Amino acid sequence: VQLVESGGGLVQPGGSLRLSCAASGFTFSSSAMSWARQAPGKGLEWVSGIYSDGSTYYADSMKGRFTISRDNAKNTVYLQMNSLKPEDTAVYYCAIGVDTVVAGTIEYWGQGTQVTVSS
C-alpha cells in the first residue's frame, strides 16, 4: 500500500488549496478514503471521508469550506480547501477507510503534506 499526498503549501487566511493523494497497492475504487490532519502538538483529527459510492462526510468545522472528491480512474482522492484559517495549519494525511480514521486509527501512512495558513 502506498499513499502519496501533495498540494500543500503556505497560503494566506481566506485562501484555497487543493490536496491530492495518489493511492496504489489496494483496490482503490472499492475503498472508502479519508483525509485527516495533525497540527503541531495535537492529536490526529479526522477531516473528511468519501465512500466508494461517492457519499461524503465532513467534520463540523470543515463543512462548507472543504470538499472531498475522488477519481477512481486515477486512483486519487482530493481535498479542496477554501476559506482557510490559521487553525487549519497542520500536516494533512490521506488514509484508507472512514470509521477507523474517525476513531483515530490510520493503518497506512503517507508522508503527509504540510498546510500552513498565515499572513
Side-chain angles (χ1 to χ4, degrees), residues 33-35 48-50 54-58 66-70 77-80:
M33 298 294 295
S34 287
W35 283 95
S48 180
I50 185 167
S55 56
T56 59
Y57 298 87
Y58 301 90
F66 291 7
T67 302
I68 190 171
S69 62
R70 65 192 298 159
V77 60
Y78 304 97
L79 186 69
Q80 176 68 43

Side-chain angles (χ1 to χ4, degrees), residues 3-26:
L3 301 168
V4 180
E5 300 94 341
S6 62
L10 173 63
V11 63
Q12 293 186 341
S16 298
L17 283 173
R18 187 194 194 204
L19 307 183
S20 299
C21 171
S24 61
F26 63 101

